[in-house]
Amino acid sequence: MTVNLLDYDLEGLAVFCERLGEKRYRAVQLFRWIHQKGASSFDEMTDLAKSFREKLKMSAHIKALDVISQHISSDGTIKWLFSVGGGDAVESVFIPEDDRGTLCISSQAGCAVGCRFCSTGHQGFSRNLKTGEILAQLWFAEHFLRTRFNKVERVISNVVMMGMGEPLQNYTELVPALRVMLDDHGYGLSRRRVTVSTSGVVPMMDRLALDCPVALAVSLHAPDDVLRDNLVPLNKKYPIAELLDACNRYLVHAPRDFITFEYCMLDGVNDQVDHANQLVSLVRKHSSGGVWCKFNLIPFNPFPASGLTCSSPAQVKTFASILSAAGIVTTIRKTRGDDIDAACGQLAGDVKDRTGISQRIARQRTFMLKPISAESK
Ligand code: SAH
Ligand code: SF4
Protein backbone atom coordinates (compact mmCIF):
# COMPACT_ATOMS: atom_id res chain seq x y z
CA MET A 1 0.00 0.00 0.00
CA THR A 2 1.28 3.43 -0.84
CA VAL A 3 1.24 6.27 1.69
CA ASN A 4 -0.95 9.38 1.52
CA LEU A 5 1.36 12.39 1.55
CA LEU A 6 -1.38 14.52 3.13
CA ASP A 7 -0.66 12.58 6.33
CA TYR A 8 2.77 14.21 6.75
CA ASP A 9 3.93 17.50 8.15
CA LEU A 10 7.13 18.86 6.61
CA GLU A 11 9.41 16.91 8.95
CA GLY A 12 7.48 13.71 8.23
CA LEU A 13 7.81 14.34 4.52
CA ALA A 14 11.56 14.95 4.88
CA VAL A 15 11.96 11.58 6.61
CA PHE A 16 9.90 9.97 3.86
CA CYS A 17 12.11 11.53 1.17
CA GLU A 18 15.22 10.27 2.93
CA ARG A 19 13.76 6.79 2.95
CA LEU A 20 13.38 7.05 -0.80
CA GLY A 21 17.08 7.93 -1.00
CA GLU A 22 16.42 11.61 -1.74
CA LYS A 23 17.81 14.71 -0.06
CA ARG A 24 15.66 16.13 2.76
CA TYR A 25 15.27 19.51 1.08
CA ARG A 26 13.34 17.83 -1.74
CA ALA A 27 10.54 17.57 0.78
CA VAL A 28 10.11 21.36 0.76
CA GLN A 29 9.49 21.36 -2.99
CA LEU A 30 7.12 18.44 -2.72
CA PHE A 31 5.30 19.98 0.23
CA ARG A 32 4.82 23.27 -1.62
CA TRP A 33 3.45 21.47 -4.63
CA ILE A 34 0.92 19.68 -2.49
CA HIS A 35 -0.26 22.41 -0.15
CA GLN A 36 0.49 25.67 -1.90
CA LYS A 37 -0.26 24.63 -5.46
CA GLY A 38 -2.82 21.97 -4.71
CA ALA A 39 -1.16 19.30 -6.86
CA SER A 40 -2.72 15.87 -6.63
CA SER A 41 -0.54 14.08 -9.17
CA PHE A 42 3.23 13.80 -9.35
CA ASP A 43 3.27 14.50 -13.08
CA GLU A 44 2.27 18.10 -12.36
CA MET A 45 5.44 18.60 -10.33
CA THR A 46 7.52 19.56 -13.32
CA ASP A 47 10.52 20.88 -11.42
CA LEU A 48 11.11 17.59 -9.62
CA ALA A 49 13.56 15.17 -11.20
CA LYS A 50 11.82 12.53 -13.26
CA SER A 51 13.53 9.77 -11.27
CA PHE A 52 12.15 11.24 -8.03
CA ARG A 53 8.67 11.47 -9.49
CA GLU A 54 8.83 7.84 -10.57
CA LYS A 55 9.84 6.79 -7.06
CA LEU A 56 6.96 8.82 -5.64
CA LYS A 57 4.48 7.20 -8.00
CA MET A 58 5.56 3.78 -6.79
CA SER A 59 5.32 4.56 -3.09
CA ALA A 60 2.91 7.43 -2.46
CA HIS A 61 -0.29 9.19 -3.45
CA ILE A 62 -2.08 12.43 -2.61
CA LYS A 63 -5.64 11.63 -1.66
CA ALA A 64 -8.22 14.14 -0.48
CA LEU A 65 -11.73 13.15 0.64
CA ASP A 66 -14.70 12.39 -1.57
CA VAL A 67 -17.26 15.18 -1.53
CA ILE A 68 -20.76 13.89 -0.82
CA SER A 69 -22.42 17.27 -1.10
CA GLN A 70 -21.70 20.94 -1.41
CA HIS A 71 -24.10 23.74 -0.57
CA ILE A 72 -23.56 27.39 -1.30
CA SER A 73 -25.58 29.94 0.65
CA SER A 74 -26.72 33.29 -0.69
CA ASP A 75 -24.49 34.90 1.96
CA GLY A 76 -21.48 33.10 0.47
CA THR A 77 -21.14 30.44 3.14
CA ILE A 78 -20.25 27.07 1.69
CA LYS A 79 -20.50 23.72 3.40
CA TRP A 80 -19.16 20.42 2.29
CA LEU A 81 -20.00 16.96 3.49
CA PHE A 82 -17.05 14.63 2.97
CA SER A 83 -17.09 10.87 3.07
CA VAL A 84 -14.42 9.32 5.28
CA GLY A 85 -15.43 5.77 4.38
CA GLY A 86 -17.34 3.09 6.23
CA GLY A 87 -20.56 5.11 6.07
CA ASP A 88 -19.03 7.98 8.08
CA ALA A 89 -19.08 11.57 6.93
CA VAL A 90 -17.68 14.82 8.28
CA GLU A 91 -18.44 18.40 7.51
CA SER A 92 -16.47 21.57 6.80
CA VAL A 93 -17.86 25.06 6.46
CA PHE A 94 -16.33 28.10 4.77
CA ILE A 95 -17.48 31.47 6.06
CA PRO A 96 -16.42 34.46 3.98
CA GLU A 97 -16.28 37.91 5.52
CA ASP A 98 -15.01 41.24 4.27
CA ASP A 99 -11.53 40.92 5.70
CA ARG A 100 -11.08 37.17 6.09
CA GLY A 101 -12.18 33.71 5.08
CA THR A 102 -12.67 31.16 7.84
CA LEU A 103 -12.80 27.39 7.45
CA CYS A 104 -14.42 25.30 10.18
CA ILE A 105 -12.91 21.79 10.19
CA SER A 106 -13.86 18.44 11.75
CA SER A 107 -11.41 16.34 13.75
CA GLN A 108 -13.36 13.10 14.35
CA ALA A 109 -16.26 11.15 12.88
CA GLY A 110 -18.68 11.50 15.77
CA CYS A 111 -17.52 12.39 19.27
CA ALA A 112 -17.10 10.47 22.52
CA VAL A 113 -17.65 13.40 24.88
CA GLY A 114 -21.42 13.24 24.51
CA CYS A 115 -22.48 16.80 25.38
CA ARG A 116 -26.23 16.99 25.89
CA PHE A 117 -26.82 19.89 23.51
CA CYS A 118 -24.64 18.55 20.66
CA SER A 119 -25.96 16.34 17.91
CA THR A 120 -22.47 15.02 17.14
CA GLY A 121 -22.28 13.96 20.77
CA HIS A 122 -25.65 12.21 20.54
CA GLN A 123 -24.43 10.38 17.48
CA GLY A 124 -21.63 8.70 19.40
CA PHE A 125 -18.01 8.16 18.46
CA SER A 126 -17.06 6.45 15.26
CA ARG A 127 -13.36 7.12 14.76
CA ASN A 128 -10.52 9.61 14.79
CA LEU A 129 -9.66 11.32 11.54
CA LYS A 130 -6.12 10.85 10.28
CA THR A 131 -3.89 13.89 9.85
CA GLY A 132 -4.45 13.63 6.11
CA GLU A 133 -8.23 13.59 6.55
CA ILE A 134 -8.13 16.70 8.74
CA LEU A 135 -5.86 18.45 6.24
CA ALA A 136 -7.79 17.21 3.22
CA GLN A 137 -10.69 19.46 4.29
CA LEU A 138 -8.41 22.52 4.12
CA TRP A 139 -6.56 21.34 1.04
CA PHE A 140 -9.77 20.78 -0.85
CA ALA A 141 -11.52 23.95 0.31
CA GLU A 142 -8.55 26.25 -0.32
CA HIS A 143 -7.92 25.05 -3.85
CA PHE A 144 -11.61 24.83 -4.70
CA LEU A 145 -12.09 28.43 -3.56
CA ARG A 146 -9.05 29.72 -5.42
CA THR A 147 -10.46 28.27 -8.62
CA ARG A 148 -13.95 29.54 -7.86
CA PHE A 149 -12.77 33.08 -7.12
CA ASN A 150 -10.07 32.97 -9.76
CA LYS A 151 -7.38 33.79 -7.21
CA VAL A 152 -3.77 32.72 -7.05
CA GLU A 153 -3.20 33.82 -3.48
CA ARG A 154 -4.68 32.42 -0.28
CA VAL A 155 -8.45 32.51 0.24
CA ILE A 156 -8.68 30.85 3.67
CA SER A 157 -7.08 33.11 6.28
CA ASN A 158 -8.43 31.47 9.45
CA VAL A 159 -9.04 27.89 10.52
CA VAL A 160 -11.19 26.85 13.48
CA MET A 161 -11.31 23.27 14.76
CA MET A 162 -15.01 23.56 15.55
CA GLY A 163 -16.58 21.02 13.27
CA MET A 164 -17.43 17.52 14.40
CA GLY A 165 -15.35 15.90 17.11
CA GLU A 166 -13.18 16.79 20.07
CA PRO A 167 -9.79 17.77 18.58
CA LEU A 168 -7.87 17.18 21.81
CA GLN A 169 -9.09 13.59 21.92
CA ASN A 170 -7.36 13.11 18.59
CA TYR A 171 -4.15 14.81 19.59
CA THR A 172 -1.60 12.68 17.72
CA GLU A 173 -3.28 13.25 14.38
CA LEU A 174 -4.21 16.87 15.12
CA VAL A 175 -0.79 18.31 15.87
CA PRO A 176 0.90 17.47 12.52
CA ALA A 177 -2.16 18.90 10.79
CA LEU A 178 -1.82 22.15 12.76
CA ARG A 179 1.88 22.28 11.87
CA VAL A 180 1.06 22.10 8.17
CA MET A 181 -1.46 24.92 8.59
CA LEU A 182 1.20 27.09 10.24
CA ASP A 183 4.15 26.11 8.04
CA ASP A 184 5.34 28.86 5.71
CA HIS A 185 5.77 26.21 3.04
CA GLY A 186 2.26 24.94 3.78
CA TYR A 187 -0.67 27.29 4.42
CA GLY A 188 1.40 29.92 6.26
CA LEU A 189 -1.34 30.81 8.76
CA SER A 190 -0.32 32.62 11.93
CA ARG A 191 -0.94 30.93 15.27
CA ARG A 192 -3.53 33.58 16.08
CA ARG A 193 -5.56 32.56 13.07
CA VAL A 194 -5.76 28.87 13.88
CA THR A 195 -8.12 28.06 16.75
CA VAL A 196 -8.55 24.75 18.56
CA SER A 197 -11.87 24.46 20.37
CA THR A 198 -12.05 21.99 23.24
CA SER A 199 -14.59 20.78 25.76
CA GLY A 200 -11.71 20.76 28.26
CA VAL A 201 -9.26 17.89 27.89
CA VAL A 202 -6.91 19.35 30.50
CA PRO A 203 -3.74 17.24 29.99
CA MET A 204 -3.87 17.78 26.24
CA MET A 205 -4.29 21.55 26.70
CA ASP A 206 -0.97 21.48 28.56
CA ARG A 207 0.64 19.46 25.79
CA LEU A 208 -0.72 21.73 23.08
CA ALA A 209 0.74 24.74 24.90
CA LEU A 210 4.18 23.21 24.45
CA ASP A 211 3.84 21.44 21.11
CA CYS A 212 1.84 23.88 19.04
CA PRO A 213 0.30 26.82 20.92
CA VAL A 214 -2.41 28.08 18.61
CA ALA A 215 -5.41 30.14 19.73
CA LEU A 216 -7.64 28.30 22.18
CA ALA A 217 -11.40 28.27 22.64
CA VAL A 218 -12.90 26.39 25.58
CA SER A 219 -16.50 25.22 25.62
CA LEU A 220 -17.59 26.21 29.10
CA HIS A 221 -21.42 26.24 28.97
CA ALA A 222 -21.96 26.35 32.73
CA PRO A 223 -20.72 28.32 35.77
CA ASP A 224 -20.71 25.43 38.25
CA ASP A 225 -19.70 21.77 38.30
CA VAL A 226 -23.14 20.32 38.95
CA LEU A 227 -24.58 21.89 35.83
CA ARG A 228 -21.46 21.35 33.73
CA ASP A 229 -21.27 17.67 34.74
CA ASN A 230 -24.73 17.37 33.30
CA LEU A 231 -24.11 19.25 30.05
CA VAL A 232 -20.49 18.28 29.31
CA PRO A 233 -19.84 14.85 30.86
CA LEU A 234 -16.06 15.33 30.53
CA ASN A 235 -16.40 17.81 33.41
CA LYS A 236 -16.58 14.88 35.83
CA LYS A 237 -13.01 14.08 34.88
CA TYR A 238 -11.72 17.65 34.58
CA PRO A 239 -13.89 19.96 36.70
CA ILE A 240 -14.13 23.70 36.19
CA ALA A 241 -11.40 24.76 38.64
CA GLU A 242 -8.88 22.43 36.97
CA LEU A 243 -10.02 23.59 33.55
CA LEU A 244 -9.57 27.26 34.41
CA ASP A 245 -6.15 26.60 35.91
CA ALA A 246 -5.21 24.89 32.64
CA CYS A 247 -6.48 27.94 30.75
CA ASN A 248 -4.22 30.18 32.79
CA ARG A 249 -1.26 27.90 32.14
CA TYR A 250 -2.07 27.91 28.44
CA LEU A 251 -2.06 31.70 28.36
CA VAL A 252 1.67 31.73 29.08
CA HIS A 253 2.24 30.18 25.64
CA ALA A 254 -0.84 31.33 23.75
CA PRO A 255 -0.60 33.61 20.72
CA ARG A 256 -3.31 35.84 22.20
CA ASP A 257 -3.64 37.21 25.72
CA PHE A 258 -7.05 35.69 26.27
CA ILE A 259 -8.92 32.41 26.06
CA THR A 260 -12.32 32.43 24.41
CA PHE A 261 -15.09 30.71 26.32
CA GLU A 262 -17.92 29.35 24.25
CA TYR A 263 -21.26 29.25 25.97
CA CYS A 264 -24.24 27.61 24.31
CA MET A 265 -27.42 29.41 25.40
CA LEU A 266 -30.01 26.87 26.59
CA ASP A 267 -33.41 28.13 27.60
CA GLY A 268 -33.97 27.86 31.36
CA VAL A 269 -30.88 25.67 31.79
CA ASN A 270 -27.79 27.89 31.87
CA ASP A 271 -29.08 31.26 30.71
CA GLN A 272 -30.42 32.89 33.87
CA VAL A 273 -29.17 36.12 35.45
CA ASP A 274 -27.73 34.07 38.33
CA HIS A 275 -25.67 32.02 35.91
CA ALA A 276 -24.21 35.16 34.37
CA ASN A 277 -23.35 36.57 37.80
CA GLN A 278 -21.72 33.29 38.79
CA LEU A 279 -19.64 33.38 35.62
CA VAL A 280 -18.40 36.86 36.50
CA SER A 281 -17.35 35.65 39.98
CA LEU A 282 -15.70 32.59 38.46
CA VAL A 283 -13.64 34.65 36.05
CA ARG A 284 -12.63 37.07 38.82
CA LYS A 285 -11.67 34.23 41.15
CA HIS A 286 -9.38 32.71 38.55
CA SER A 287 -7.88 35.96 37.42
CA SER A 288 -4.39 36.91 38.44
CA GLY A 289 -5.14 40.53 37.57
CA GLY A 290 -7.28 41.77 34.70
CA VAL A 291 -9.73 39.89 32.57
CA TRP A 292 -8.08 37.08 30.66
CA CYS A 293 -10.99 35.70 28.71
CA LYS A 294 -13.72 36.58 26.26
CA PHE A 295 -17.14 35.05 26.02
CA ASN A 296 -18.84 33.97 22.86
CA LEU A 297 -22.51 33.20 23.42
CA ILE A 298 -23.85 30.67 20.93
CA PRO A 299 -27.60 30.52 20.40
CA PHE A 300 -28.41 26.81 20.72
CA ASN A 301 -29.27 25.15 17.46
CA PRO A 302 -32.01 22.75 18.53
CA PHE A 303 -32.51 19.14 17.51
CA PRO A 304 -35.33 16.94 18.76
CA ALA A 305 -33.34 14.29 20.63
CA SER A 306 -31.82 16.94 22.91
CA GLY A 307 -35.08 17.96 24.57
CA LEU A 308 -33.58 21.45 24.86
CA THR A 309 -34.57 24.81 23.40
CA CYS A 310 -32.70 27.97 22.59
CA SER A 311 -32.80 30.98 24.92
CA SER A 312 -34.83 33.90 23.63
CA PRO A 313 -32.89 36.71 21.94
CA ALA A 314 -33.83 38.98 24.85
CA GLN A 315 -32.40 36.50 27.36
CA VAL A 316 -29.20 36.19 25.36
CA LYS A 317 -28.90 39.97 25.31
CA THR A 318 -29.49 40.30 29.05
CA PHE A 319 -26.91 37.60 29.71
CA ALA A 320 -24.38 39.31 27.44
CA SER A 321 -24.94 42.67 29.07
CA ILE A 322 -24.18 41.30 32.56
CA LEU A 323 -20.86 39.90 31.37
CA SER A 324 -20.05 43.06 29.43
CA ALA A 325 -20.90 45.28 32.39
CA ALA A 326 -18.34 43.31 34.40
CA GLY A 327 -15.69 44.18 31.82
CA ILE A 328 -15.70 40.85 29.99
CA VAL A 329 -15.74 41.22 26.23
CA THR A 330 -18.77 39.25 25.09
CA THR A 331 -20.02 38.53 21.60
CA ILE A 332 -23.15 36.79 20.42
CA ARG A 333 -22.51 34.41 17.59
CA LYS A 334 -24.43 35.11 14.44
CA THR A 335 -25.82 32.37 12.28
CA ARG A 336 -24.81 32.12 8.67
CA GLY A 337 -26.10 30.33 5.63
CA ASP A 338 -29.65 29.86 6.86
CA ASP A 339 -30.96 29.30 3.36
CA ILE A 340 -28.84 26.28 2.61
CA ASP A 341 -29.60 24.85 6.00
CA ALA A 342 -32.96 23.98 4.53
CA ALA A 343 -31.26 22.26 1.65
CA CYS A 344 -29.52 20.04 4.18
CA GLY A 345 -32.80 18.29 4.72
CA GLN A 346 -32.73 16.95 1.22
CA LEU A 347 -29.69 14.92 2.11
CA ALA A 348 -31.26 13.20 5.07
CA GLY A 349 -30.93 9.50 4.62
CA ASP A 350 -28.05 9.71 2.17
CA VAL A 351 -25.59 9.32 4.95
CA LYS A 352 -26.43 7.47 8.10
CA ASP A 353 -24.30 7.31 11.17
CA ARG A 354 -23.83 4.10 13.07
CA THR A 355 -26.96 4.61 15.10
CA GLY A 356 -28.95 5.22 11.97
CA ILE A 357 -29.71 8.82 12.88
CA SER A 358 -29.55 11.20 9.99
CA GLN A 359 -26.32 13.12 9.65
CA ARG A 360 -28.37 16.13 8.71
CA ILE A 361 -28.71 17.16 12.33
CA ALA A 362 -25.00 17.10 12.88
CA ARG A 363 -24.46 19.11 9.77
CA GLN A 364 -26.97 21.71 10.72
CA ARG A 365 -25.28 22.13 14.06
CA THR A 366 -21.86 22.83 12.68
CA PHE A 367 -23.19 24.89 9.94
CA MET A 368 -25.07 27.36 12.03
CA LEU A 369 -21.96 28.40 13.88
CA LYS A 370 -20.00 31.44 13.09
CA PRO A 371 -16.53 30.62 14.36
CA ILE A 372 -15.29 32.87 17.07
CA SER A 373 -11.93 33.74 15.66
CA ALA A 374 -13.86 35.44 12.93
CA GLU A 375 -15.17 37.85 15.51
CA SER A 376 -12.26 38.31 17.81
CA LYS A 377 -9.29 38.86 15.58
N1 SAH B 1 -15.52 19.42 20.53
C1 SAH B 1 -15.08 20.75 20.53
C2 SAH B 1 -15.17 21.42 19.17
C3 SAH B 1 -16.37 21.12 18.30
S1 SAH B 1 -17.90 21.71 18.88
C4 SAH B 1 -15.83 21.56 21.57
O1 SAH B 1 -16.79 21.06 22.15
O2 SAH B 1 -15.40 22.68 21.84
C5 SAH B 1 -17.79 23.43 18.51
C6 SAH B 1 -18.73 24.29 19.32
O3 SAH B 1 -20.10 24.04 18.96
C7 SAH B 1 -18.62 24.03 20.81
O4 SAH B 1 -18.53 25.21 21.54
C8 SAH B 1 -19.95 23.36 21.08
O5 SAH B 1 -20.32 23.52 22.40
C9 SAH B 1 -20.87 24.03 20.11
N2 SAH B 1 -22.15 23.30 19.89
C10 SAH B 1 -22.35 21.97 19.88
N3 SAH B 1 -23.64 21.67 19.64
C11 SAH B 1 -24.29 22.84 19.49
C12 SAH B 1 -25.65 23.20 19.24
N4 SAH B 1 -26.58 22.27 19.07
N5 SAH B 1 -25.96 24.50 19.15
C13 SAH B 1 -25.00 25.44 19.29
N6 SAH B 1 -23.71 25.16 19.53
C14 SAH B 1 -23.35 23.88 19.66
FE1 SF4 C 1 -18.03 16.53 21.23
FE2 SF4 C 1 -17.76 19.21 21.17
FE3 SF4 C 1 -20.11 18.03 20.57
FE4 SF4 C 1 -19.23 18.03 23.08
S1 SF4 C 1 -19.78 19.84 21.86
S2 SF4 C 1 -20.09 16.27 21.99
S3 SF4 C 1 -17.05 17.81 22.78
S4 SF4 C 1 -18.20 17.86 19.43
Side-chain angles (χ1 to χ4, degrees):
M1 246 218 356
T2 66
V3 296
N4 185 1
L5 297 187
L6 288 182
D7 279 325
Y8 292 132
D9 61 11
L10 186 53
E11 176 56 27
L13 203 57
V15 171
F16 177 75
C17 287
E18 275 179 327
R19 259 192 273 133
L20 291 184
E22 296 285 336
K23 294 270 187 294
R24 281 176 71 90
Y25 73 84
R26 290 276 175 225
V28 174
Q29 266 174 302
L30 184 54
F31 195 74
R32 291 173 69 105
W33 268 111
I34 298 169
H35 295 289
Q36 297 194 339
K37 299 183 192 153
S40 58
S41 83
F42 301 116
D43 286 330
E44 293 169 61
M45 305 179 182
T46 41
D47 60 355
L48 299 188
K50 200 144 184 269
S51 57
F52 182 28
R53 278 189 271 158
E54 289 308 316
K55 279 193 233 171
L56 286 169
K57 277 188 212 171
M58 302 289 286
S59 54
H61 59 279
I62 302 159
K63 170 89 178 75
L65 296 170
D66 293 330
V67 179
I68 297 174
S69 67
Q70 167 178 291
H71 292 279
I72 304 180
S73 162
S74 56
D75 70 11
T77 304
I78 307 179
K79 62 170 178 167
W80 293 278
L81 185 68
F82 295 104
S83 167
V84 291
D88 287 319
V90 296
E91 188 187 55
S92 314
V93 183
F94 173 68
I95 303 119
E97 288 174 283
D98 292 346
D99 58 342
R100 78 202 89 181
T102 303
L103 189 71
C104 177
I105 293 184
S106 296
S107 56
Q108 298 179 312
C111 181
V113 177
C115 300
R116 257 185 69 194
F117 50 84
C118 173
S119 54
T120 309
H122 278 245
Q123 186 185 318
F125 177 67
S126 193
R127 71 171 176 87
N128 281 327
L129 297 191
K130 304 249 302 161
T131 297
E133 292 171 322
I134 297 171
L135 278 173
Q137 300 168 62
L138 175 58
W139 182 88
F140 173 85
E142 174 65 33
H143 298 291
F144 169 87
L145 293 165
R146 279 191 209 177
T147 309
R148 179 176 165 81
F149 297 129
N150 208 5
K151 282 200 165 173
V152 278
E153 73 275 26
R154 191 168 62 192
V155 179
I156 294 168
S157 61
N158 297 58
V159 169
V160 293
M161 298 302 307
M162 290 184 190
M164 297 163 75
E166 168 48 58
L168 294 188
Q169 286 190 337
N170 186 15
Y171 191 80
T172 321
E173 298 296 322
L174 173 74
V175 168
L178 295 176
R179 289 203 175 112
V180 175
M181 295 174 198
L182 304 182
D183 202 307
D184 282 342
H185 298 297
Y187 297 88
L189 301 177
S190 83
R191 292 192 292 129
R192 298 160 54 88
R193 288 171 175 271
V194 176
T195 301
V196 167
S197 175
T198 181
S199 54
V201 191
V202 165
M204 294 302 146
M205 288 165 65
D206 286 328
R207 281 186 62 183
L208 190 68
L210 299 176
D211 292 340
C212 197
V214 293
L216 189 69
V218 171
S219 295
L220 191 59
H221 307 308
D224 68 78
D225 283 323
V226 175
L227 184 54
R228 195 163 190 270
D229 281 353
N230 184 269
L231 295 175
V232 184
L234 191 68
N235 195 67
K236 293 178 196 141
K237 204 163 179 192
Y238 307 113
I240 293 177
E242 279 183 36
L243 178 58
L244 298 192
D245 284 349
C247 288
N248 275 316
R249 291 195 296 275
Y250 194 87
L251 278 173
V252 176
H253 304 270
R256 299 167 185 262
D257 55 6
F258 61 88
I259 302 284
T260 304
F261 288 128
E262 294 162 278
Y263 198 95
C264 185
M265 297 297 290
L266 303 164
D267 187 32
V269 175
N270 64 353
D271 66 344
Q272 302 296 298
V273 167
D274 272 0
H275 295 123
N277 287 327
Q278 281 178 55
L279 282 176
V280 171
S281 313
L282 192 69
V283 166
R284 291 205 174 128
K285 197 171 136 203
H286 284 268
S287 147
S288 47
V291 174
W292 49 278
C293 62
K294 291 186 177 180
F295 269 81
N296 194 243
L297 306 182
I298 315 172
F300 171 57
N301 188 33
F303 60 100
S306 70
L308 299 161
T309 47
C310 182
S311 312
S312 69
Q315 194 63 28
V316 178
K317 256 180 111 176
T318 305
F319 201 91
S321 62
I322 294 171
L323 298 180
S324 301
I328 304 170
V329 174
T330 304
T331 49
I332 299 171
R333 194 175 285 179
K334 296 188 204 98
T335 58
R336 293 281 303 255
D338 295 0
D339 57 336
I340 56 170
D341 212 16
C344 277
Q346 292 156 10
L347 290 165
D350 283 359
V351 182
K352 300 270 187 193
D353 66 45
R354 289 172 308 116
T355 56
I357 299 167
S358 164
Q359 284 269 339
R360 182 177 74 88
I361 296 163
R363 296 207 302 283
Q364 273 185 344
R365 198 272 297 152
T366 325
F367 182 51
M368 295 296 287
L369 302 182
K370 181 182 182 196
I372 34 161
S373 67
E375 288 163 354
S376 54
K377 195 176 71 160

